Amino acid sequence: MNIGEIARRAGVSRSTVSYALSGKRPVSEDTRRKIQQVIDELGYQPNASARALANGRTSTIGLVFPPAGNHYTGMQLDFIGSVTEAAAAYDYDVLLSPSGVDSDRSFQRLLGERRVDGAILMEIRLQDDRLDHLTAVDFPSVTIGRTARPEGSWWVGLDHTALAAACVHHLADLGHRRIAFVNRPEQLLRAGYESAQRGLDGFTKAAAERGLTVRTYCCGDDATSGLTCLERILYDDPATTALVTLNEAALGGFYRGLAQAGRHVPRDFSVTGVVAGRWAEAVTPQLTAADVPAEQMGRLAVDLLVQRLDHPETPARNHLLAPPISLRASTGPVGAGPADLAPDFGTPTHP
Amino acid sequence: MNIGEIARRAGVSRSTVSYALSGKRPVSEDTRRKIQQVIDELGYQPNASARALANGRTSTIGLVFPPAGNHYTGMQLDFIGSVTEAAAAYDYDVLLSPSGVDSDRSFQRLLGERRVDGAILMEIRLQDDRLDHLTAVDFPSVTIGRTARPEGSWWVGLDHTALAAACVHHLADLGHRRIAFVNRPEQLLRAGYESAQRGLDGFTKAAAERGLTVRTYCCGDDATSGLTCLERILYDDPATTALVTLNEAALGGFYRGLAQAGRHVPRDFSVTGVVAGRWAEAVTPQLTAADVPAEQMGRLAVDLLVQRLDHPETPARNHLLAPPISLRASTGPVGAGPADLAPDFGTPTHP
DNA sequence: CGAAATCATCGAACCGGTTCGATTCTCTCT
DNA sequence: AGAGAGAATCGAACCGGTTCGATGATTTCG
């Protein structure tokens, strides 16, 4: 069932069918109806490859994210979901590309074989060769996260510096003097991951400002690493009373470690950080944290990309978000008395 | 940089370039070298749309999953990741389609516009109109999960019946007599989701076999719903001593509810179910559960689909998996004494 | 009333690949 | 030496759309 078949059955030429469908030239009401009728009868839908070849647009956007190996985090899932749905609303499909660097085969395919009209990059590094490459060949893209020099490029990002600082101030206000910072895995920090770098930066500066004693750690993206890391923290400085983390996947491990060490959260120890809201609420006690608005970010990224595709000459736009800290149940004043200060679900009512 | 440009610069015809690249006809060593040299110079890669149009294959597979709205679970994330990586290994790209039913626009696009060579469907229902549709039009597909009548179709599935039953037997062996079953949301159960239906079935039969007193619940896919559900369970029958769940997203809520009610896990209450391993290990205490081998399943699904695409006449194949229960820390004998039976991280070593 | 503008439609060219049949040249075998 | 096989290459057709320019019919207006 191709356009020629439709044309034949409707008794018109192929071009007329095309114009009837696209509306780019007037077609008489009669023929339009006749064509539509044939199309409905046969359930015709134009072939995407042929259309893409002819008009140079694939109606597909690429979503580039680093391969798992290391694990996926919940945040990535939220991005993938929201990007896909936002794209669907614009009649774009989403092609997944698991690429960490610009030399990845799948990344080359996206670009070189022109499989997509534009790309959204996740997990940006401060120096990102993937983005450099895209910029060099003038390929429309939007990043979730921003590089060291984000001017003139399209992105939606989180103000990790401010967010980490806000966590520090929150803890300092509660009286904490010795706090730890738990970052994403060292490998990612080294590679220059934006959130890891800027988060660390914001934390360090804010802590210096408030005159706090701090230690910083890197930690694998899983609960077991979290547990190990927490043991290390308490070993290095048993007087630590709080931690700030960017590592949502390790959260369960921190809690477990604290429980094992007999530290009650938040009575004896406060935990906070920058985490997707949905995951902050999945742990007990619920995490006081700056909630990463992953869904909104995915949507915004698609909005920007579509705009860029529709109006190629628009000057670069971006969105820098800095969500407030959501107060939940994992932080409290330092050195508080026993039970009376435990929030929300106070004394166990053991039967 | 199209194939004509390469041909001109190499001083040969377009077809020769094509044959040099595909190897489908012999090309002399000299010309092959010359062509390769030009290609390297210009960084030529053949246009995917043109190639797809010409030979009818897009080298893309569609991954169909229901839209979020309701939330994504960790398991879905694992599927998406593993499918994408497995596909990349076969040089296939993955196109995401958020479609719950066969009338979704994005689903229609995949098929009608021939954007993909084949599809992998997630979140299968016992009667699945998407699969019916694909089967009717003879479109190559593999499902993750199986319908009520899976004979003759391609799938990789989990034996939810057996898995839920195994959980029941595990608890019954530990002496539990009154246990609850917490399913996925009611809406999904009603819609006929395979895991929800077969899991409930397996649970019910095994419980009857062992003469247990049971109640079954549905619960939203988030921690808050989990909390509410758990309160309900203890309200309905305070003598309940264990629960089996398929709902990994609500897990955090169960634990929180149990903590609030003063029930210690596993001393006073056991929790088990069918959950992706990575998430079972993220909670404290770690969940004793049948681990869903999401990565393996995604890989197998791609293997099957690629095989089906390469050999269209192969009779249908499938994989039914039934992973064993991984013993961790969330289940224990009923009515055990106080601290001595707490596993793994016994007495707190408070400094 | 005739020229100009507008409308509806058609045919041909094009997008960038793949593939088939034909052609030319060289080598082998009888 | 001549027939036949096989290698290397070319030109043309094709995949299924879109788009441009041309054409004939109809309407508008001076």
Side-chain angles (χ1 to χ4, degrees), chain A residues 280-329:
Chain A
E281 295 184 354
V283 294
T284 304
Q286 293 187 31
L287 196 74
T288 287
D291 293 353
V292 176
E295 295 203 10
Q296 183 190 6
M297 293 176 73
R299 205 163 7 88
L300 286 173
V302 172
D303 289 344
L304 287 184
L305 184 55
V306 169
Q307 175 162 130
R308 187 170 177 185
L309 290 173
D310 287 348
H311 309 285
E313 295 312 322
T314 317
R317 295 183 46 201
N318 59 66
H319 296 282
L320 182 61
L321 308 180
I325 290 187
S326 295
L327 290 175
R328 297 199 185 84

Short mmCIF file of all heavy atoms in Angstrom, two decimals, chain A residues 280-329:
data_model
loop_
_atom_site.label_atom_id
_atom_site.label_comp_id
_atom_site.label_asym_id
_atom_site.label_seq_id
_atom_site.Cartn_x
_atom_site.Cartn_y
_atom_site.Cartn_z
N ALA A 280 13.40 10.09 46.99
CA ALA A 280 13.55 10.62 48.35
C ALA A 280 12.42 10.13 49.23
O ALA A 280 12.58 9.92 50.43
CB ALA A 280 13.57 12.15 48.30
N GLU A 281 11.27 9.91 48.61
CA GLU A 281 10.11 9.50 49.40
C GLU A 281 10.01 8.00 49.56
O GLU A 281 9.15 7.50 50.28
CB GLU A 281 8.84 10.05 48.75
CG GLU A 281 8.81 11.56 48.79
CD GLU A 281 7.53 12.17 48.24
OE1 GLU A 281 6.68 11.42 47.72
OE2 GLU A 281 7.39 13.40 48.35
N ALA A 282 10.89 7.29 48.89
CA ALA A 282 10.81 5.83 48.95
C ALA A 282 11.56 5.27 50.14
O ALA A 282 11.39 4.11 50.50
CB ALA A 282 11.34 5.23 47.65
N VAL A 283 12.41 6.07 50.76
CA VAL A 283 13.20 5.55 51.88
C VAL A 283 12.57 5.96 53.21
O VAL A 283 11.75 6.86 53.26
CB VAL A 283 14.66 6.04 51.81
CG1 VAL A 283 15.36 5.47 50.61
CG2 VAL A 283 14.73 7.55 51.83
N THR A 284 12.96 5.29 54.26
CA THR A 284 12.44 5.57 55.59
C THR A 284 13.59 5.88 56.53
O THR A 284 14.48 5.04 56.66
CB THR A 284 11.66 4.35 56.14
OG1 THR A 284 10.65 4.02 55.19
CG2 THR A 284 11.04 4.68 57.48
N PRO A 285 13.62 6.99 57.21
CA PRO A 285 12.69 8.10 57.07
C PRO A 285 12.88 8.81 55.74
O PRO A 285 13.97 8.81 55.18
CB PRO A 285 13.07 9.01 58.23
CG PRO A 285 14.49 8.69 58.49
CD PRO A 285 14.64 7.24 58.22
N GLN A 286 11.81 9.42 55.26
CA GLN A 286 11.87 10.11 53.97
C GLN A 286 12.95 11.17 53.99
O GLN A 286 13.18 11.83 54.99
CB GLN A 286 10.52 10.76 53.67
CG GLN A 286 9.43 9.73 53.42
CD GLN A 286 8.13 10.36 52.96
OE1 GLN A 286 8.14 11.39 52.31
NE2 GLN A 286 7.02 9.72 53.31
N LEU A 287 13.57 11.32 52.84
CA LEU A 287 14.75 12.15 52.77
C LEU A 287 14.43 13.64 52.59
O LEU A 287 13.72 14.00 51.66
CB LEU A 287 15.63 11.68 51.60
CG LEU A 287 17.07 12.19 51.62
CD1 LEU A 287 17.86 11.45 52.68
CD2 LEU A 287 17.70 12.02 50.25
N THR A 288 14.97 14.45 53.46
CA THR A 288 14.97 15.89 53.24
C THR A 288 16.00 16.16 52.15
O THR A 288 17.17 15.82 52.32
CB THR A 288 15.36 16.64 54.53
OG1 THR A 288 14.28 16.56 55.45
CG2 THR A 288 15.65 18.11 54.23
N ALA A 289 15.56 16.74 51.05
CA ALA A 289 16.48 16.87 49.92
C ALA A 289 16.00 17.91 48.93
O ALA A 289 14.84 18.29 48.93
CB ALA A 289 16.61 15.52 49.20
N ALA A 290 16.93 18.38 48.11
CA ALA A 290 16.57 19.18 46.95
C ALA A 290 16.08 18.21 45.90
O ALA A 290 16.83 17.36 45.43
CB ALA A 290 17.78 19.96 46.45
N ASP A 291 14.82 18.29 45.56
CA ASP A 291 14.24 17.33 44.63
C ASP A 291 14.58 17.66 43.19
O ASP A 291 14.23 18.73 42.70
CB ASP A 291 12.72 17.31 44.77
CG ASP A 291 12.28 16.77 46.12
OD1 ASP A 291 13.15 16.29 46.86
OD2 ASP A 291 11.08 16.83 46.40
N VAL A 292 15.24 16.74 42.52
CA VAL A 292 15.54 16.94 41.11
C VAL A 292 14.24 16.81 40.31
O VAL A 292 13.60 15.76 40.34
CB VAL A 292 16.55 15.90 40.61
CG1 VAL A 292 16.77 16.08 39.11
CG2 VAL A 292 17.84 16.02 41.37
N PRO A 293 13.82 17.86 39.63
CA PRO A 293 12.56 17.80 38.88
C PRO A 293 12.78 17.14 37.52
O PRO A 293 12.69 17.79 36.48
CB PRO A 293 12.18 19.26 38.74
CG PRO A 293 13.48 19.99 38.72
CD PRO A 293 14.47 19.16 39.50
N ALA A 294 13.05 15.86 37.57
CA ALA A 294 13.47 15.15 36.36
C ALA A 294 12.42 15.24 35.26
O ALA A 294 12.75 15.44 34.09
CB ALA A 294 13.77 13.69 36.68
N GLU A 295 11.17 15.11 35.61
CA GLU A 295 10.14 15.12 34.56
C GLU A 295 10.08 16.46 33.87
O GLU A 295 10.01 16.55 32.65
CB GLU A 295 8.78 14.80 35.16
CG GLU A 295 8.72 13.40 35.71
CD GLU A 295 7.29 12.90 35.78
OE1 GLU A 295 6.38 13.56 35.24
OE2 GLU A 295 7.08 11.84 36.39
N GLN A 296 10.13 17.49 34.68
CA GLN A 296 10.09 18.83 34.11
C GLN A 296 11.30 19.05 33.20
O GLN A 296 11.18 19.60 32.10
CB GLN A 296 10.08 19.85 35.25
CG GLN A 296 9.95 21.27 34.78
CD GLN A 296 10.20 22.26 35.91
OE1 GLN A 296 10.56 21.88 37.02
NE2 GLN A 296 9.99 23.54 35.62
N MET A 297 12.44 18.59 33.65
CA MET A 297 13.65 18.80 32.86
C MET A 297 13.57 18.09 31.52
O MET A 297 13.96 18.64 30.49
CB MET A 297 14.87 18.35 33.65
CG MET A 297 15.14 19.21 34.88
SD MET A 297 16.52 18.61 35.88
CE MET A 297 17.91 19.04 34.85
N GLY A 298 13.06 16.88 31.53
CA GLY A 298 12.93 16.15 30.28
C GLY A 298 12.01 16.88 29.33
O GLY A 298 12.29 17.01 28.13
N ARG A 299 10.91 17.36 29.86
CA ARG A 299 9.94 18.07 29.05
C ARG A 299 10.57 19.34 28.47
O ARG A 299 10.46 19.62 27.28
CB ARG A 299 8.72 18.41 29.89
CG ARG A 299 7.47 18.58 29.09
CD ARG A 299 6.19 18.51 29.92
NE ARG A 299 6.38 18.45 31.35
CZ ARG A 299 6.48 19.52 32.14
NH1 ARG A 299 6.48 20.73 31.62
NH2 ARG A 299 6.60 19.36 33.45
N LEU A 300 11.24 20.09 29.32
CA LEU A 300 11.86 21.33 28.86
C LEU A 300 12.91 21.06 27.77
O LEU A 300 13.00 21.80 26.79
CB LEU A 300 12.52 22.05 30.03
CG LEU A 300 11.57 22.74 31.00
CD1 LEU A 300 12.31 23.28 32.21
CD2 LEU A 300 10.83 23.87 30.29
N ALA A 301 13.66 20.00 27.96
CA ALA A 301 14.69 19.68 26.97
C ALA A 301 14.04 19.43 25.60
O ALA A 301 14.53 19.91 24.58
CB ALA A 301 15.49 18.46 27.41
N VAL A 302 12.95 18.71 25.61
CA VAL A 302 12.26 18.45 24.34
C VAL A 302 11.70 19.75 23.77
O VAL A 302 11.82 20.02 22.57
CB VAL A 302 11.13 17.42 24.54
CG1 VAL A 302 10.30 17.30 23.27
CG2 VAL A 302 11.72 16.07 24.91
N ASP A 303 11.10 20.57 24.61
CA ASP A 303 10.58 21.85 24.14
C ASP A 303 11.68 22.64 23.44
O ASP A 303 11.49 23.14 22.33
CB ASP A 303 10.05 22.69 25.32
CG ASP A 303 8.76 22.11 25.89
OD1 ASP A 303 8.13 21.28 25.21
OD2 ASP A 303 8.39 22.49 27.01
N LEU A 304 12.82 22.73 24.08
CA LEU A 304 13.92 23.49 23.50
C LEU A 304 14.36 22.89 22.17
O LEU A 304 14.55 23.60 21.19
CB LEU A 304 15.11 23.53 24.46
CG LEU A 304 14.96 24.41 25.70
CD1 LEU A 304 16.27 24.42 26.50
CD2 LEU A 304 14.58 25.83 25.32
N LEU A 305 14.51 21.58 22.16
CA LEU A 305 15.00 20.94 20.94
C LEU A 305 14.03 21.14 19.78
O LEU A 305 14.43 21.46 18.66
CB LEU A 305 15.25 19.45 21.17
CG LEU A 305 15.86 18.72 19.98
CD1 LEU A 305 17.14 19.38 19.53
CD2 LEU A 305 16.12 17.25 20.31
N VAL A 306 12.77 20.98 20.05
CA VAL A 306 11.77 21.15 18.99
C VAL A 306 11.81 22.59 18.49
O VAL A 306 11.76 22.83 17.28
CB VAL A 306 10.37 20.79 19.50
CG1 VAL A 306 9.30 21.23 18.50
CG2 VAL A 306 10.27 19.29 19.75
N GLN A 307 11.94 23.50 19.41
CA GLN A 307 12.03 24.89 18.98
C GLN A 307 13.25 25.13 18.12
O GLN A 307 13.20 25.80 17.10
CB GLN A 307 12.09 25.80 20.21
CG GLN A 307 12.31 27.23 19.82
CD GLN A 307 11.94 28.15 20.95
OE1 GLN A 307 12.72 29.02 21.30
NE2 GLN A 307 10.79 27.95 21.54
N ARG A 308 14.34 24.53 18.55
CA ARG A 308 15.57 24.70 17.77
C ARG A 308 15.44 24.09 16.39
O ARG A 308 15.96 24.63 15.41
CB ARG A 308 16.72 24.04 18.54
CG ARG A 308 18.05 24.31 17.91
CD ARG A 308 19.21 23.89 18.78
NE ARG A 308 20.45 24.11 18.06
CZ ARG A 308 21.64 23.76 18.50
NH1 ARG A 308 21.76 23.19 19.68
NH2 ARG A 308 22.71 23.99 17.79
N LEU A 309 14.75 22.97 16.31
CA LEU A 309 14.57 22.32 15.00
C LEU A 309 13.64 23.14 14.11
O LEU A 309 13.87 23.26 12.90
CB LEU A 309 14.01 20.91 15.19
CG LEU A 309 14.96 19.90 15.81
CD1 LEU A 309 14.26 18.60 16.12
CD2 LEU A 309 16.15 19.67 14.89
N ASP A 310 12.62 23.70 14.70
CA ASP A 310 11.66 24.45 13.90
C ASP A 310 12.20 25.81 13.48
O ASP A 310 11.85 26.33 12.43
CB ASP A 310 10.35 24.65 14.69
CG ASP A 310 9.57 23.36 14.78
OD1 ASP A 310 9.91 22.41 14.06
OD2 ASP A 310 8.62 23.30 15.59
N HIS A 311 13.03 26.40 14.32
CA HIS A 311 13.58 27.73 14.00
C HIS A 311 15.09 27.69 14.16
O HIS A 311 15.61 28.14 15.19
CB HIS A 311 12.98 28.78 14.93
CG HIS A 311 11.49 28.73 14.98
ND1 HIS A 311 10.68 29.19 13.96
CD2 HIS A 311 10.64 28.24 15.91
CE1 HIS A 311 9.42 29.00 14.27
NE2 HIS A 311 9.36 28.43 15.46
N PRO A 312 15.76 27.21 13.16
CA PRO A 312 17.20 26.95 13.26
C PRO A 312 18.02 28.17 13.64
O PRO A 312 19.13 28.04 14.14
CB PRO A 312 17.56 26.47 11.86
CG PRO A 312 16.28 25.97 11.28
CD PRO A 312 15.23 26.84 11.85
N GLU A 313 17.47 29.36 13.40
CA GLU A 313 18.31 30.53 13.63
C GLU A 313 18.10 31.18 15.00
O GLU A 313 18.75 32.17 15.33
CB GLU A 313 18.08 31.56 12.53
CG GLU A 313 18.52 31.09 11.15
CD GLU A 313 19.92 30.48 11.18
OE1 GLU A 313 20.79 31.00 11.92
OE2 GLU A 313 20.14 29.46 10.49
N THR A 314 17.18 30.63 15.77
CA THR A 314 16.95 31.17 17.11
C THR A 314 18.26 31.18 17.90
O THR A 314 19.01 30.21 17.85
CB THR A 314 15.95 30.30 17.89
OG1 THR A 314 14.89 29.95 17.02
CG2 THR A 314 15.39 31.05 19.10
N PRO A 315 18.53 32.25 18.63
CA PRO A 315 19.71 32.21 19.50
C PRO A 315 19.51 31.20 20.62
O PRO A 315 18.37 30.89 20.99
CB PRO A 315 19.78 33.65 20.05
CG PRO A 315 18.43 34.23 19.82
CD PRO A 315 17.85 33.54 18.62
N ALA A 316 20.60 30.69 21.14
CA ALA A 316 20.55 29.62 22.13
C ALA A 316 19.72 30.01 23.35
O ALA A 316 19.75 31.14 23.80
CB ALA A 316 21.97 29.27 22.56
N ARG A 317 18.98 29.02 23.83
CA ARG A 317 18.20 29.24 25.04
C ARG A 317 18.53 28.16 26.06
O ARG A 317 19.09 27.12 25.74
CB ARG A 317 16.72 29.18 24.71
CG ARG A 317 16.26 30.31 23.79
CD ARG A 317 14.77 30.21 23.59
NE ARG A 317 14.09 30.00 24.86
CZ ARG A 317 12.88 29.49 24.99
NH1 ARG A 317 12.21 29.13 23.94
NH2 ARG A 317 12.35 29.32 26.18
N ASN A 318 18.16 28.43 27.31
CA ASN A 318 18.43 27.42 28.34
C ASN A 318 17.54 27.66 29.56
O ASN A 318 16.86 28.68 29.66
CB ASN A 318 19.89 27.49 28.74
CG ASN A 318 20.24 28.87 29.26
OD1 ASN A 318 19.75 29.29 30.30
ND2 ASN A 318 21.07 29.60 28.53
N HIS A 319 17.52 26.69 30.43
CA HIS A 319 16.79 26.82 31.69
C HIS A 319 17.68 26.33 32.82
O HIS A 319 18.10 25.16 32.80
CB HIS A 319 15.53 25.96 31.69
CG HIS A 319 14.52 26.36 30.67
ND1 HIS A 319 13.67 27.44 30.82
CD2 HIS A 319 14.19 25.82 29.47
CE1 HIS A 319 12.88 27.55 29.76
NE2 HIS A 319 13.17 26.56 28.92
N LEU A 320 17.94 27.19 33.77
CA LEU A 320 18.69 26.75 34.95
C LEU A 320 17.72 26.64 36.12
O LEU A 320 17.10 27.63 36.52
CB LEU A 320 19.79 27.76 35.28
CG LEU A 320 20.67 27.37 36.48
CD1 LEU A 320 21.39 26.06 36.20
CD2 LEU A 320 21.69 28.46 36.78
N LEU A 321 17.61 25.44 36.65
CA LEU A 321 16.63 25.22 37.72
C LEU A 321 17.34 25.08 39.06
O LEU A 321 18.45 24.55 39.14
CB LEU A 321 15.82 23.96 37.45
CG LEU A 321 15.15 23.88 36.07
CD1 LEU A 321 14.38 22.57 35.93
CD2 LEU A 321 14.22 25.06 35.86
N ALA A 322 16.70 25.56 40.10
CA ALA A 322 17.25 25.40 41.44
C ALA A 322 16.10 25.16 42.41
O ALA A 322 15.63 26.07 43.09
CB ALA A 322 18.04 26.64 41.85
N PRO A 323 15.61 23.92 42.41
CA PRO A 323 14.46 23.62 43.27
C PRO A 323 14.83 23.81 44.74
O PRO A 323 15.99 23.63 45.12
CB PRO A 323 14.17 22.15 42.96
CG PRO A 323 15.47 21.61 42.45
CD PRO A 323 16.13 22.74 41.73
N PRO A 324 13.86 24.18 45.56
CA PRO A 324 14.12 24.36 46.99
C PRO A 324 14.27 23.00 47.67
O PRO A 324 13.92 21.97 47.10
CB PRO A 324 12.86 25.05 47.47
CG PRO A 324 11.79 24.54 46.57
CD PRO A 324 12.45 24.37 45.22
N ILE A 325 14.83 23.04 48.86
CA ILE A 325 14.93 21.81 49.63
C ILE A 325 13.56 21.44 50.20
O ILE A 325 12.88 22.29 50.76
CB ILE A 325 15.95 21.98 50.78
CG1 ILE A 325 17.36 22.06 50.17
CG2 ILE A 325 15.84 20.85 51.78
CD1 ILE A 325 18.47 22.05 51.20
N SER A 326 13.15 20.21 49.97
CA SER A 326 11.89 19.74 50.55
C SER A 326 12.17 19.16 51.92
O SER A 326 12.92 18.18 52.05
CB SER A 326 11.28 18.66 49.67
OG SER A 326 10.93 19.19 48.42
N LEU A 327 11.54 19.76 52.91
CA LEU A 327 11.78 19.27 54.27
C LEU A 327 10.99 18.01 54.50
O LEU A 327 9.77 17.99 54.41
CB LEU A 327 11.37 20.35 55.27
CG LEU A 327 12.30 21.56 55.29
CD1 LEU A 327 11.75 22.64 56.21
CD2 LEU A 327 13.69 21.16 55.73
N ARG A 328 11.73 16.94 54.78
CA ARG A 328 11.04 15.71 55.12
C ARG A 328 11.56 15.25 56.46
O ARG A 328 11.61 16.08 57.38
CB ARG A 328 11.24 14.66 54.00
CG ARG A 328 10.64 15.11 52.68
CD ARG A 328 10.42 13.94 51.72
NE ARG A 328 9.96 14.42 50.42
CZ ARG A 328 10.76 14.87 49.44
NH1 ARG A 328 12.08 14.85 49.60
NH2 ARG A 328 10.25 15.30 48.32
N ALA A 329 11.94 14.00 56.57
CA ALA A 329 12.16 13.52 57.93
C ALA A 329 13.59 13.07 58.24
O ALA A 329 13.83 12.45 59.25
CB ALA A 329 11.19 12.37 58.21
#
